[in-house]
């Protein structure tokens, strides 16, 4: 599990016209050069970027695309996530076949994306929209990760005060979600400090990690944050949080179990930090999000979404439950047992 991808926040594009395709393609090519994909894979990446933006322009409502680097150990790749709010597709497997079209075009878009990608996943629901996630790596095929997340800044801001991190420390599979107080650069700086301290923290249970983050963030404006540790082999999830980070375990039957965070702000005063344990069996999903995401979503409203990758699940929830008047972050992690 030490090879799971680590991603940066990336760049969001609003895709409303065909002219956006060239901007996205050029940005993808530049990013491919920066992470040293190699010319052949950069050419493949350009095809993926062009097809994703073309699909959003031709078929989608309120289309947006996220472009960001993704890293696994010493290797780097490029990730693209295309999100729209409709009209959706009833059968993605049919829509991905070459020659299938809903607009009279050649219909090769999704098929071309899947062929050029190292990893590809998607979810679509008629009336709600579609999420397409793609990774392009230099050579070896990518494997789906046990955790995936996205952040989005408040409308009008260029940086997000919300963020996340994923690590495996001495066999402990842990995730962090942080919401820096306020918005803008100072909130982002608090979350950056939380992520750095999280990655450098000694291996230990979530309560010990949260205490470490609290001490390390004393020079910042502070943040609400939570740390979870997945131990599906033991059927358990360990959790500790401060402030209003929402945490939910979803069992295989779709039932939700809320996770407890205590009042407090990491980096300020002397908050009480306490760890809690919850059942986490086969097929379980962990969802964590900042208060920029409303907690009214229900997985039962999305048939088949629990079977998709954590990244696609996180993107779908961010689209439908995220609010534009606040920074937003959604993280999803799955049981691999």
């Amino acid at each position: 599990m030490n090879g799971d991808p680590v991603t940066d926040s990336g760049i969001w594009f609003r895709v409303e016209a065909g002219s956006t395709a060239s901007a996205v393609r050029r940005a993808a090519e530049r990013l491919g050069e920066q992470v040293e994909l190699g010319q052949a894979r950069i050419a493949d990446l350009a095809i993926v970027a062009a097809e994703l933006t073309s699909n959003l322009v031709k078929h989608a409502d309120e289309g947006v695309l996220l472009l960001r680097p993704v890293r696994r150990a010493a290797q780097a790749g490029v990730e693209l996530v295309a999100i729209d709010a409709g009209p959706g597709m009833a059968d993605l497997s049919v829509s991905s076949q070459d020659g299938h079209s809903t607009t009279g075009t050649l219909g090769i878009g999704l098929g071309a994306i899947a062929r050029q990608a190292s990893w590809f996943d998607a979810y679509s629901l008629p009336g709600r929209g579609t999420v397409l996630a793609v990774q392009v790596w230099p050579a070896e095929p990518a494997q789906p990760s046990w955790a995936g997340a996205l952040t989005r800044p408040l409308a009008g801001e260029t940086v997000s005060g919300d963020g996340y991190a994923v690590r495996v420390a001495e066999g402990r599979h842990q995730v962090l979600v942080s919401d820096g107080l306020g918005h803008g650069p100072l909130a982002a700086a608090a979350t950056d400090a939380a992520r750095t301290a999280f990655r450098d923290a000694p291996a230990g249970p979530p309560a010990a990690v949260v205490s470490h983050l609290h001490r390390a963030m004393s020079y910042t404006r502070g943040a609400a944050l939570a740390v979870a540790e997945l131990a599906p082999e033991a059927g358990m999830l360990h959790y500790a949080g401060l402030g209003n980070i929402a945490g939910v375990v979803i069992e295989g039957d779709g039932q939700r179990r809320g996770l407890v965070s205590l009042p407090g702000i990491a980096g300020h005063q002397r908050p009480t930090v306490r760890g809690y344990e919850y059942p986490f069996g086969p097929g379980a999903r962990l969802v964590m999000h900042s208060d920029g995401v409303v907690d009214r979503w229900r997985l039962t409203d999305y048939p088949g979404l629990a079977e998709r990758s954590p990244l696609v699940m996180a993107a779908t929830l961010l689209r439908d439950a995220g609010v534009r008047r606040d920074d937003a972050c959604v993280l999803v992690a799955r049981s691999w047992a």
Side-chain angles (χ1 to χ4, degrees):
M1 295 291 182
N2 289 288
D4 286 301
V6 175
T7 53
D8 296 333
S9 55
I11 304 170
W12 286 95
F13 294 86
R14 184 170 296 278
V15 183
E16 298 175 333
S19 58
T20 310
S22 58
V24 173
R25 187 186 67 252
R26 289 194 300 270
E29 289 172 337
R30 287 195 299 270
L31 183 54
E33 292 172 354
Q34 292 170 11
V35 302
E36 300 180 348
L37 273 184
Q39 289 305 309
R41 293 302 279 154
I42 290 175
D44 294 337
L45 174 63
I47 293 173
V48 169
E51 293 293 350
L52 283 173
T53 50
S54 176
N55 282 335
L56 289 174
V57 171
K58 294 176 183 176
H59 306 290
D61 300 326
E62 302 177 24
V64 295
L65 185 142
L66 173 64
L67 172 69
R68 61 185 180 181
V70 58
R71 297 179 177 86
R72 178 188 288 112
Q75 193 178 46
V78 174
E79 184 172 82
L80 304 97
V81 184
I83 305 171
D84 67 66
M89 292 173 273
D91 191 338
L92 267 173
S93 63
V94 173
S95 300
S96 300
Q97 296 174 5
D98 288 349
H100 178 81
S101 174
T102 58
T103 62
T105 62
L106 290 177
I108 62 173
L110 294 185
I113 292 168
R115 284 194 302 275
Q116 307 302 328
S118 303
W119 174 82
F120 169 79
D121 192 27
Y123 179 77
S124 189
L125 189 64
R128 300 295 287 271
T130 301
V131 170
L132 300 171
V134 183
Q135 291 178 357
V136 178
W137 294 85
E140 65 184 56
Q143 298 299 318
S145 176
W146 58 278
L150 295 93
T151 62
R152 186 184 66 193
L154 168 75
E157 292 282 359
T158 57
V159 295
S160 174
D162 294 356
Y164 68 93
V166 178
R167 74 170 190 167
V168 181
E170 297 183 9
R172 294 176 178 267
H173 292 71
Q174 297 180 334
V175 295
L176 162 75
V177 170
S178 173
D179 180 353
L181 294 189
H183 308 290
L186 291 180
T191 283
D192 286 344
R195 291 190 296 201
T196 298
F198 174 75
R199 295 185 179 114
D200 296 340
V209 175
V210 170
S211 295
H212 175 85
L213 302 187
H214 167 66
R215 294 189 296 271
M217 295 172 62
S218 60
Y219 66 93
T220 74
R221 63 166 52 181
L225 55 79
V227 173
E229 179 178 319
L230 285 70
E233 297 93 341
M236 298 297 297
L237 180 135
H238 308 274
Y239 191 83
L242 293 173
N244 55 355
I245 299 298
V248 177
V249 168
I250 304 173
E251 302 294 345
D253 58 3
Q255 294 299 308
R256 292 165 48 113
R257 181 191 300 270
L259 310 182
V260 175
S261 282
L262 297 180
I265 301 171
H268 285 255
Q269 302 174 348
R270 297 184 62 182
T272 300
V273 179
R274 184 178 304 154
Y276 297 87
E277 295 183 347
Y278 302 91
F280 197 73
R285 294 289 188 273
L286 166 69
V287 180
M288 297 168 63
H289 60 76
S290 66
D291 64 354
V293 177
V294 297
D295 197 29
R296 294 192 295 268
W297 57 269
R298 294 294 181 271
L299 195 57
T300 51
D301 294 336
Y302 300 90
L305 182 58
E307 282 70 54
R308 307 320 309 160
S309 65
L311 176 59
V312 164
M313 185 173 168
T316 301
L317 296 179
L318 179 65
R319 177 195 67 196
D320 292 350
V323 296
R324 297 301 301 174
R325 62 182 181 275
D326 199 358
D327 298 328
C329 175
V330 181
L331 179 145
V332 177
R334 62 172 175 83
S335 168
W336 55 87

